[in-house]
Amino acid sequence: MNPIAGSNQQFSHSIGSPAVSLPAGPTGDRRGGASSASMSAATLGSGLAVGAGSNVASMGVMQGEAVSHEYVFKWIEDLGCSETRENSLLELSKKRESVPDLAPMLWNSFGTVAALLQEITNIYPLIFPPVMTAHQSNRVCNALALLQCVASHPETRTPFLHAQIPLYLYPFLHTSSKTRPFEYLRLTSLGVIGALVKTDEVDVINFLLTTEIIPLCLRIMENGSELSKTATTFILQKILLDETGLNYICQTYDRFSHVALILGKMVMALAKEPSQRLLKHVIRCYLRLSDNPRAREALRSCLPEQLKDQSFFQACLKDEPNTKRWQAQLIRNVETPNNVQPSGDSLHGNN
């Protein structure tokens, strides 16, 4: 008898139009990486080839300095012209954190979002088969960085979701090439989703549950690089922390077992090559699953032995007291009978 009874329905999702992603650095320059809170994939450098940009766009405004709206408006205007778009993408991507209201400016300017989506759809023919170059990857990632900016802003996040723009990035998450251009593309795509789930908004989770994001994340969690695995596990963690997301995954045995299978494989891999950052998110996912009575019952038989033994990852977690507490709480939850409320605070938090 399956502890989580239900139909044989696995993750069934509707996927509509295509979608969007985030920032990547120049070839050979990948800084920052996916943090546990922001899934920002990279800090953009200056190694991109620049097109025939306007004189205003080449006035030498340094990254991090206050940027005049005159420059910003000119760069946004230049996005509408194919000859000046590449330079404008680069300049706006580098300055996006220096312009707090850039997202509304992008979203409300005529034709700008369409131009950014054109940059993304132009890449589709180059990913299957995987023939995209580093230069092409950097250019599209600059466009995706701007869309991530839109996804992050409270004024533009809701219309961004209503337009179903995240669906444009899903083809990028389907790629499997392990070359650097494709890894950048996946990480920047995950950065957009990470920026959305970081807000802990119910509407974001409800939207994502209507798409194929969970199976896509599970696929990358099983086969991706450490950075990609960390980004996707963070996204899964955020979905689980939402009550609707937890109930969705635990609604049927097939959904739960797919998630538990991939998490178990990750623990086996981490036992051989520990990663503190990745292990933290894996434990958080297990801990949240243990809040569901049926999942908790199933975890009694499928929780990896390495997580039942607090000494196994002791060296890896020596500087992570919170993660050690989450592991201890997970063990207590799993050992507690379902007719008894688990003691202690699950300590989920928002990170």
Side-chain angles (χ1 to χ4, degrees):
M1 189 83 175
N2 288 333
I4 299 183
S7 69
N8 256 348
Q9 175 191 8
Q10 287 200 352
F11 296 103
S12 58
H13 308 274
S14 60
I15 179 164
S17 44
V20 137
S21 131
L22 136 218
T27 308
D29 180 15
R30 183 98 179 82
R31 297 185 296 272
S35 72
S36 62
S38 106
M39 298 306 110
S40 172
T43 301
L44 289 166
S46 57
L48 293 174
V50 176
S54 66
N55 289 333
V56 172
S58 58
M59 294 291 288
V61 181
M62 299 301 292
Q63 184 173 2
E65 291 182 358
V67 181
S68 166
H69 276 192
E70 179 185 355
Y71 293 116
V72 176
F73 285 131
K74 180 59 179 174
W75 290 324
I76 291 176
E77 180 184 354
D78 285 349
L79 289 174
C81 176
S82 58
E83 288 77 16
T84 57
R85 183 178 298 168
E86 185 171 7
N87 183 71
S88 296
L89 287 171
L90 173 61
E91 294 295 341
L92 287 168
S93 297
K94 290 195 298 184
K95 311 301 188 301
R96 67 190 185 279
E97 294 184 2
S98 305
V99 185
D101 53 351
L102 178 60
M105 294 165 70
L106 291 169
W107 186 260
N108 295 308
S109 56
F110 179 78
T112 297
V113 174
L116 296 177
L117 293 180
Q118 184 181 49
E119 287 293 306
I120 291 161
T121 56
N122 284 346
I123 292 295
Y124 288 167
L126 306 177
I127 60 178
F128 299 110
V131 294
M132 180 182 62
T133 66
H135 176 85
Q136 291 165 333
S137 175
N138 285 330
R139 174 166 172 162
V140 71
C141 284
N142 283 337
L144 299 179
L146 299 182
L147 283 169
Q148 191 237 4
C149 176
V150 173
S152 301
H153 198 283
E155 289 183 28
T156 54
R157 186 181 305 116
T158 297
F160 181 85
L161 286 175
H162 287 170
Q164 297 191 329
I165 290 178
L167 296 179
Y168 284 86
L169 61 81
Y170 284 15
F172 301 151
L173 300 181
H174 274 286
T175 62
S176 57
S177 172
K178 297 187 182 299
T179 62
R180 183 168 293 175
F182 281 87
E183 180 67 8
Y184 284 0
L185 191 60
R186 282 189 295 272
L187 282 169
T188 55
S189 300
L190 292 170
V192 178
I193 305 300
L196 289 171
V197 299
K198 184 184 174 185
T199 65
D200 298 314
E201 293 183 1
V202 174
D203 288 347
V204 170
I205 302 301
N206 289 338
F207 170 81
L208 292 177
L209 291 179
T210 68
T211 74
E212 58 175 336
I213 190 59
I214 295 177
L216 282 173
C217 283
L218 292 174
R219 180 170 173 265
I220 296 172
M221 286 164 63
E222 183 175 12
N223 301 310
S225 66
E226 182 183 333
L227 274 178
S228 294
K229 288 180 178 180
T230 302
T232 47
T233 310
F234 170 82
I235 292 168
L236 178 64
Q237 171 191 311
K238 284 299 200 178
I239 292 174
L240 284 169
L241 286 174
D242 180 88
E243 199 66 29
T244 302
L246 176 65
N247 291 336
Y248 177 84
I249 288 176
C250 296
Q251 184 177 12
T252 70
Y253 181 78
D254 286 324
R255 290 178 186 170
F256 167 81
S257 62
H258 192 188
V259 171
L261 174 66
I262 299 303
L263 288 174
K265 288 183 177 180
M266 295 178 74
V267 172
M268 298 301 122
L270 287 166
K272 298 176 182 177
E273 297 182 23
S275 164
Q276 185 181 91
R277 177 173 51 185
L278 182 54
L279 180 59
K280 168 185 174 180
H281 294 305
V282 170
I283 290 175
R284 295 287 296 280
C285 287
Y286 270 121
L287 176 58
R288 180 55 173 162
L289 285 171
S290 73
D291 286 340
N292 180 276
R294 291 182 294 173
R296 185 163 62 245
E297 183 178 344
L299 286 174
R300 292 194 181 101
S301 60
C302 68
L303 185 68
E305 293 298 322
Q306 290 89 340
L307 291 183
K308 295 179 182 178
D309 179 3
Q310 282 193 269
S311 65
F312 192 88
F313 287 111
Q314 188 171 9
C316 180
L317 298 177
K318 64 180 180 179
D319 299 321
E320 283 285 337
N322 284 339
T323 306
K324 288 193 282 189
R325 286 161 56 204
W326 296 328
Q327 183 184 5
Q329 182 66 50
L330 168 63
I331 295 170
R332 286 196 297 272
N333 287 0
V334 171
E335 291 176 348
T336 301
N338 274 354
N339 59 351
V340 178
Q341 184 67 26
S343 62
D345 182 2
S346 289
L347 305 168
H348 294 302
N350 293 318
N351 291 328

